[in-house]
Short mmCIF file of all heavy atoms in Angstrom, two decimals:
data_model
loop_
_atom_site.label_atom_id
_atom_site.label_comp_id
_atom_site.label_asym_id
_atom_site.label_seq_id
_atom_site.Cartn_x
_atom_site.Cartn_y
_atom_site.Cartn_z
N LEU A 1 -10.87 -53.09 -31.93
CA LEU A 1 -11.56 -51.89 -32.35
C LEU A 1 -12.87 -52.22 -33.05
O LEU A 1 -13.91 -51.64 -32.77
CB LEU A 1 -10.67 -51.05 -33.28
CG LEU A 1 -11.29 -49.78 -33.84
CD1 LEU A 1 -11.61 -48.81 -32.71
CD2 LEU A 1 -10.34 -49.14 -34.83
N ILE A 2 -12.84 -53.20 -33.94
CA ILE A 2 -14.04 -53.59 -34.66
C ILE A 2 -15.09 -54.13 -33.70
O ILE A 2 -16.27 -53.80 -33.79
CB ILE A 2 -13.71 -54.62 -35.77
CG1 ILE A 2 -12.89 -53.93 -36.86
CG2 ILE A 2 -14.96 -55.26 -36.35
CD1 ILE A 2 -12.27 -54.88 -37.85
N THR A 3 -14.68 -54.95 -32.77
CA THR A 3 -15.61 -55.49 -31.78
C THR A 3 -16.21 -54.37 -30.95
O THR A 3 -17.42 -54.34 -30.71
CB THR A 3 -14.89 -56.50 -30.86
OG1 THR A 3 -14.34 -57.53 -31.69
CG2 THR A 3 -15.85 -57.11 -29.86
N THR A 4 -15.38 -53.43 -30.53
CA THR A 4 -15.86 -52.30 -29.73
C THR A 4 -16.83 -51.46 -30.52
O THR A 4 -17.90 -51.08 -30.02
CB THR A 4 -14.67 -51.43 -29.25
OG1 THR A 4 -13.78 -52.26 -28.52
CG2 THR A 4 -15.14 -50.28 -28.39
N VAL A 5 -16.50 -51.16 -31.76
CA VAL A 5 -17.37 -50.35 -32.61
C VAL A 5 -18.69 -51.08 -32.83
O VAL A 5 -19.75 -50.46 -32.75
CB VAL A 5 -16.68 -50.04 -33.96
CG1 VAL A 5 -17.67 -49.48 -34.96
CG2 VAL A 5 -15.53 -49.08 -33.76
N SER A 6 -18.64 -52.37 -33.07
CA SER A 6 -19.87 -53.14 -33.27
C SER A 6 -20.73 -53.11 -32.02
O SER A 6 -21.94 -52.96 -32.09
CB SER A 6 -19.55 -54.58 -33.64
OG SER A 6 -18.85 -54.63 -34.85
N PHE A 7 -20.10 -53.26 -30.86
CA PHE A 7 -20.82 -53.23 -29.60
C PHE A 7 -21.46 -51.86 -29.38
O PHE A 7 -22.64 -51.77 -29.04
CB PHE A 7 -19.87 -53.56 -28.43
CG PHE A 7 -20.53 -53.52 -27.08
CD1 PHE A 7 -21.36 -54.54 -26.68
CD2 PHE A 7 -20.34 -52.43 -26.24
CE1 PHE A 7 -21.97 -54.50 -25.45
CE2 PHE A 7 -20.95 -52.38 -25.01
CZ PHE A 7 -21.77 -53.42 -24.61
N ILE A 8 -20.70 -50.80 -29.64
CA ILE A 8 -21.22 -49.45 -29.47
C ILE A 8 -22.37 -49.22 -30.44
O ILE A 8 -23.41 -48.68 -30.08
CB ILE A 8 -20.11 -48.40 -29.67
CG1 ILE A 8 -19.12 -48.47 -28.51
CG2 ILE A 8 -20.68 -47.00 -29.79
CD1 ILE A 8 -17.83 -47.68 -28.74
N ALA A 9 -22.19 -49.63 -31.69
CA ALA A 9 -23.22 -49.43 -32.70
C ALA A 9 -24.50 -50.17 -32.32
O ALA A 9 -25.59 -49.63 -32.46
CB ALA A 9 -22.74 -49.90 -34.07
N CYS A 10 -24.39 -51.38 -31.82
CA CYS A 10 -25.57 -52.15 -31.42
C CYS A 10 -26.26 -51.52 -30.22
O CYS A 10 -27.47 -51.47 -30.14
CB CYS A 10 -25.19 -53.60 -31.09
SG CYS A 10 -24.73 -54.55 -32.55
N ASN A 11 -25.48 -51.06 -29.25
CA ASN A 11 -26.06 -50.50 -28.04
C ASN A 11 -26.56 -49.08 -28.20
O ASN A 11 -27.34 -48.62 -27.39
CB ASN A 11 -25.04 -50.55 -26.89
CG ASN A 11 -24.87 -51.96 -26.38
OD1 ASN A 11 -25.82 -52.72 -26.36
ND2 ASN A 11 -23.67 -52.30 -25.99
N SER A 12 -26.15 -48.39 -29.25
CA SER A 12 -26.61 -47.02 -29.43
C SER A 12 -27.74 -46.94 -30.44
O SER A 12 -28.15 -45.86 -30.81
CB SER A 12 -25.45 -46.13 -29.88
OG SER A 12 -25.02 -46.51 -31.16
N SER A 13 -28.25 -48.08 -30.88
CA SER A 13 -29.26 -48.07 -31.93
C SER A 13 -30.54 -47.37 -31.49
O SER A 13 -31.28 -46.87 -32.33
CB SER A 13 -29.58 -49.49 -32.39
OG SER A 13 -30.10 -50.24 -31.33
N ALA A 14 -30.80 -47.29 -30.20
CA ALA A 14 -31.98 -46.59 -29.74
C ALA A 14 -31.84 -45.09 -29.97
O ALA A 14 -32.83 -44.38 -30.12
CB ALA A 14 -32.22 -46.86 -28.25
N ASN A 15 -30.62 -44.60 -30.01
CA ASN A 15 -30.38 -43.17 -30.16
C ASN A 15 -29.95 -42.79 -31.57
O ASN A 15 -30.00 -41.63 -31.94
CB ASN A 15 -29.29 -42.71 -29.18
CG ASN A 15 -29.71 -42.93 -27.74
OD1 ASN A 15 -30.87 -42.83 -27.41
ND2 ASN A 15 -28.75 -43.24 -26.90
N THR A 16 -29.48 -43.73 -32.36
CA THR A 16 -28.92 -43.44 -33.68
C THR A 16 -29.49 -44.43 -34.68
O THR A 16 -29.56 -45.62 -34.39
CB THR A 16 -27.38 -43.60 -33.63
OG1 THR A 16 -26.87 -42.79 -32.58
CG2 THR A 16 -26.77 -43.18 -34.93
N ASP A 17 -29.88 -43.91 -35.85
CA ASP A 17 -30.38 -44.86 -36.83
C ASP A 17 -29.23 -45.69 -37.40
O ASP A 17 -28.06 -45.38 -37.23
CB ASP A 17 -31.25 -44.19 -37.89
CG ASP A 17 -30.50 -43.43 -38.98
OD1 ASP A 17 -29.29 -43.64 -39.16
OD2 ASP A 17 -31.15 -42.63 -39.67
N SER A 18 -29.58 -46.77 -38.05
CA SER A 18 -28.61 -47.76 -38.52
C SER A 18 -27.64 -47.18 -39.54
O SER A 18 -26.46 -47.54 -39.56
CB SER A 18 -29.37 -48.94 -39.11
OG SER A 18 -28.48 -49.91 -39.58
N VAL A 19 -28.10 -46.28 -40.38
CA VAL A 19 -27.23 -45.68 -41.40
C VAL A 19 -26.18 -44.81 -40.72
O VAL A 19 -24.99 -44.88 -41.05
CB VAL A 19 -28.06 -44.88 -42.43
CG1 VAL A 19 -27.16 -44.11 -43.38
CG2 VAL A 19 -28.98 -45.83 -43.20
N THR A 20 -26.59 -44.01 -39.75
CA THR A 20 -25.65 -43.17 -39.02
C THR A 20 -24.65 -44.02 -38.25
O THR A 20 -23.45 -43.73 -38.23
CB THR A 20 -26.40 -42.22 -38.06
OG1 THR A 20 -27.32 -41.43 -38.82
CG2 THR A 20 -25.44 -41.31 -37.31
N ALA A 21 -25.13 -45.11 -37.65
CA ALA A 21 -24.23 -46.01 -36.91
C ALA A 21 -23.19 -46.62 -37.85
O ALA A 21 -22.01 -46.73 -37.50
CB ALA A 21 -25.03 -47.11 -36.22
N ALA A 22 -23.62 -47.01 -39.07
CA ALA A 22 -22.67 -47.58 -40.04
C ALA A 22 -21.64 -46.53 -40.46
O ALA A 22 -20.45 -46.82 -40.54
CB ALA A 22 -23.42 -48.11 -41.26
N LYS A 23 -22.10 -45.30 -40.69
CA LYS A 23 -21.17 -44.22 -41.07
C LYS A 23 -20.17 -43.97 -39.95
O LYS A 23 -18.97 -43.80 -40.20
CB LYS A 23 -21.95 -42.94 -41.38
CG LYS A 23 -22.70 -42.99 -42.69
CD LYS A 23 -23.49 -41.72 -42.93
CE LYS A 23 -24.29 -41.78 -44.21
NZ LYS A 23 -25.12 -40.59 -44.41
N ASP A 24 -20.64 -43.94 -38.71
CA ASP A 24 -19.75 -43.72 -37.57
C ASP A 24 -18.74 -44.85 -37.43
O ASP A 24 -17.55 -44.61 -37.19
CB ASP A 24 -20.56 -43.58 -36.27
CG ASP A 24 -21.40 -42.32 -36.21
OD1 ASP A 24 -21.19 -41.41 -37.05
OD2 ASP A 24 -22.28 -42.24 -35.34
#
């Protein structure tokens, strides 16, 4: 789950700022 979340967070950075990605 952590790996998946990290992958999603890294790949969605163009659409979501880093703070929102961390919160998600």
Side-chain angles (χ1 to χ4, degrees):
L1 178 63
I2 292 168
T3 302
T4 303
V5 168
S6 298
F7 178 76
I8 290 168
C10 290
N11 286 326
S12 66
S13 62
N15 298 327
T16 306
D17 78 17
S18 180
V19 173
T20 302
K23 287 178 182 177
D24 292 347

